[in-house]
Amino acid sequence: MPALPEFKKPDAIRRALIAITIAMFIAGLPFSGLCEMSAMTDNELSQITGHGFSEFSLTNVDGLDIARISLNMQASTWAEMDSMKMGYWDNGSGMGWDQNWTGVSMGSETTDMILSNFVIQTEFVNVNDAATRQLKSITIGYENVTGTLSGNFASLSRTTGAARTDEGAATYVFNGDPFLLHINVEGDNPGVWLDFGNAVKQ
């Protein structure tokens, strides 16, 4: 995934957020959605019912307008990446990566990582006023994940820990925990953060 531009460039940030949102949404689509389509009979169509696939909400909490999309979808994967870097900027302690992982494996050869309940959430100030609207943060990912995430975490910024921690080689075991990417444009903790919930480090 490409690195985000410096946080001092609002237009570049907005373009990067859009690109990340699209990329992660596409990556989360089940591979079964790419299968060849075939015509269904009238009888088959009459037996199909469904509900609860998506939920949309717009709420105001403590002066922030929160837009949220929840999709009842699931993906299973065993994916490997040589390198994943996100959020290269000066956070007050010098230039560096918020996330710098190498030798990454999501799932394993024997057990897939299972990701359920895809969510996108954005926080705005004055979302209904184009002249004063400001994007504050975006959250994207899965709310319920089972499986393992392994790699060499030279820099890991977690919502439950410090920024840019060198975790070294580690495996995180998810058991119904969230796996969410938070991009904070402003606030007390700007940058790119990951929420692993209570995933256990091994």
Side-chain angles (χ1 to χ4, degrees):
M1 183 174 291
L4 288 177
E6 294 182 17
F7 282 85
K8 296 179 181 179
K9 302 177 180 177
D11 291 337
I13 294 171
R14 290 188 186 93
R15 289 194 299 270
L17 292 176
I18 292 169
I20 289 172
T21 300
I22 293 170
M24 292 194 73
F25 179 77
I26 292 172
L29 289 175
F31 289 111
S32 60
L34 303 177
C35 297
E36 181 180 349
M37 293 188 297
S38 61
M40 299 178 70
T41 66
D42 289 340
N43 184 50
E44 289 172 330
L45 287 171
S46 68
Q47 297 179 39
I48 294 176
T49 60
H51 68 279
F53 172 72
S54 61
E55 182 179 337
F56 304 87
S57 65
L58 179 60
T59 57
N60 186 283
V61 179
D62 297 329
L64 285 177
D65 296 309
I66 302 174
R68 183 180 179 87
I69 303 172
S70 300
L71 301 177
N72 184 16
M73 58 189 295
Q74 179 175 296
S76 298
T77 185
W78 170 35
E80 294 181 318
M81 294 174 282
D82 290 337
S83 176
M84 188 188 82
K85 295 176 171 60
M86 293 184 289
Y88 186 77
W89 64 296
D90 187 346
N91 68 352
S93 59
M95 297 297 291
W97 295 101
D98 289 335
Q99 310 293 341
N100 183 0
W101 309 355
T102 56
V104 184
S105 180
M106 298 174 64
S108 67
E109 186 175 2
T110 57
T111 307
D112 284 351
M113 174 179 270
I114 301 173
L115 308 102
S116 304
N117 302 335
F118 184 77
V119 63
I120 303 173
Q121 178 175 297
T122 54
E123 295 183 348
F124 292 90
V125 171
N126 301 327
V127 70
N128 294 316
D129 187 344
T132 60
R133 182 187 304 128
Q134 294 180 0
L135 175 64
K136 295 296 184 179
S137 70
I138 184 169
T139 298
I140 186 169
Y142 291 86
E143 295 184 304
N144 189 312
V145 175
T146 302
T148 58
L149 172 68
S150 302
N152 190 325
F153 301 93
S155 180
L156 177 61
S157 298
R158 287 186 60 187
T159 55
T160 56
R164 301 181 180 178
T165 302
D166 185 351
E167 296 286 338
T171 295
Y172 286 89
V173 180
F174 291 75
N175 186 20
D177 301 290
F179 185 21
L180 299 168
L181 172 70
H182 298 283
I183 302 173
N184 298 325
V185 180
E186 296 181 354
D188 295 334
N189 297 300
V192 180
W193 297 78
L194 270 297
D195 181 357
F196 290 174
N198 294 316
V200 177
K201 179 183 175 182
Q202 293 184 340

